[in-house]
């Protein structure tokens, strides 16, 4: 999985944070070798439009993730983790959506069309279940890395 961060955010280090976190999540989701390019962008005030983040398949082997840049840092990480689960679902062919002639989306999970409320959709259930686990794993990894680096500086 190739990850590219596209942001104009003035938050210092946000591009590096998003890229490194997405790569970590991809590894934990076992999709780092998936033959997709993932674009991650930030968009101010996405939450006003009813979303903290979005994930869409935007090409044959291309996925775009948007995260609201006005969110507090912890929420940015949870949102990115959530959207990376959706990226995994696209990569593995678990989830797909298509635009019907009537202008509405048809959504499919494991090949079967699903018509359910947002909170009952199987792809959302998985994303909500895994986002917290992924963020905890990331924070543990960062803490362990800091601890190792601190020990090295004393030697």
């Amino acid at each position: 999985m190739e990850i590219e961060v596209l942001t104009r955010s003035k938050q210092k280090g946000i591009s590096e944070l998003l890229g490194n976190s997405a790569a970590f999540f991809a590894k934990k989701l076992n999709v780092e070798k998936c033959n997709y390019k993932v674009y991650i962008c930030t968009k101010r005030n996405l939450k006003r439009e009813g979303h903290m983040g979005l994930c869409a398949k935007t090409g044959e082997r291309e996925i775009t993730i948007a995260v609201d840049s006005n969110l507090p840092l912890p929420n940015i990480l949870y949102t990115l983790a959530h959207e990376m689960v959706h990226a995994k679902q696209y990569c593995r062919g678990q989830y797909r959506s298509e635009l019907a002639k009537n202008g509405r989306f048809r959504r499919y999970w494991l090949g079967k069309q699903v018509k359910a409320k947002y909170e009952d959709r199987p792809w959302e259930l998985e994303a909500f279940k895994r986002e917290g686990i992924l963020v905890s794993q990331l924070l543990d990894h960062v803490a362990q890395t800091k601890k190792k680096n601190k020990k090295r500086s004393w030697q």
Side-chain angles (χ1 to χ4, degrees), residues 71-88:
L71 295 172
L73 182 58
N75 293 48
I76 288 175
L77 291 175
Y78 278 91
T79 301
L80 179 61
H82 182 101
E83 301 309 332
M84 284 297 294
V85 173
H86 292 318
K88 184 265 311 179

Side-chain angles (χ1 to χ4, degrees), residues 12-149:
K12 189 175 181 181
I14 193 72
S15 183
E16 187 178 2
L17 174 74
L18 291 171
N20 290 340
S21 299
F24 180 86
F25 297 148
K27 185 174 183 176
K28 289 298 180 180
L29 293 165
N30 201 25
V31 290
E32 74 272 18
K33 293 181 181 156
C34 181
N35 191 21
Y36 271 76
K37 180 155 188 178
V38 177
Y39 293 97
I40 300 171
C41 59
T42 57
K43 185 174 186 310
R44 287 182 19 212
N45 302 318
L46 194 58
K47 193 173 180 181
R48 283 189 198 159
E49 298 170 23
H51 310 281
M52 290 195 294
L54 298 167
C55 180
K57 187 172 178 187
T58 49
E60 185 61 35
R61 294 265 174 216
E62 180 181 286
I63 295 169
T64 300
I65 292 174
V67 177
D68 189 330
S69 60
N70 284 349
L71 295 172
L73 182 58
N75 293 48
I76 288 175
L77 291 175
Y78 278 91
T79 301
L80 179 61
H82 182 101
E83 301 309 332
M84 284 297 294
V85 173
H86 292 318
K88 184 265 311 179
Q89 295 164 344
Y90 280 120
C91 285
R92 292 198 181 150
Q94 297 169 314
Y95 172 71
R96 71 180 176 88
S97 63
E98 61 186 37
L99 192 59
K101 290 179 184 176
N102 64 3
R104 300 186 110 164
F105 280 98
R106 288 190 188 136
R107 294 174 169 89
Y108 298 86
W109 180 251
L110 304 178
K112 295 180 183 178
Q113 187 174 359
V114 174
K115 295 179 182 180
K117 292 182 202 172
Y118 173 82
E119 62 273 6
D120 295 329
R121 296 171 182 168
W123 53 92
E124 294 299 342
L125 292 171
E126 180 187 13
F128 280 114
K129 179 180 176 183
R130 296 188 81 174
E131 69 183 32
I133 295 166
L134 289 167
V135 171
S136 290
Q137 291 173 329
L138 174 66
L139 296 176
D140 288 346
H141 173 74
V142 169
Q144 288 173 357
T145 302
K146 280 185 175 182
K147 204 175 195 180
K148 284 180 189 174
N149 289 340

